[in-house]
Amino acid sequence: MTKEKIARINELAHKMKTVGLSETEKTEQAQLRKEYIASVVGDLKNQLDNTYVVDERGNKTKVAEANRKAGIKQ
């Protein structure tokens, strides 16, 4: 997500608190929020996909694989 889009989200949030938003702006705000959430979730997923658990023997296992072995649903 670009800095410009984040700035626009903040601008719309401020405007909503002060004078209110038009229907067009409400739609834009909802779309931008949806994009932002998708971006955050994607970044988190990528980070977790590259995170390892180290056991007591020093063996590294990806988090997803460690969760499967432990029976944790994703």
Side-chain angles (χ1 to χ4, degrees):
M1 170 142 289
T2 65
K3 289 181 181 180
E4 291 81 15
K5 286 186 177 183
I6 293 172
R8 181 65 177 155
I9 290 170
N10 291 331
E11 182 183 323
L12 289 170
H14 177 70
K15 185 176 179 184
M16 182 177 68
K17 290 177 185 177
T18 55
V19 295
L21 299 176
S22 69
E23 287 304 314
T24 305
E25 290 170 327
K26 287 179 185 178
T27 303
E28 179 187 7
Q29 183 183 44
Q31 180 59 38
L32 287 170
R33 284 180 173 175
K34 201 181 255 188
E35 269 185 61
Y36 179 77
I37 291 169
S39 173
V40 170
V41 169
D43 290 347
L44 180 59
K45 184 177 179 342
N46 287 336
Q47 185 175 0
L48 290 174
D49 286 346
N50 293 301
T51 301
Y52 293 84
V53 174
V54 180
D55 67 13
E56 60 277 351
R57 294 183 184 160
N59 299 321
K60 288 172 47 174
T61 307
K62 283 198 169 198
V63 169
E65 188 178 326
N67 286 342
R68 274 194 298 280
K69 287 180 182 178
I72 299 171
K73 292 183 180 182
Q74 294 182 0

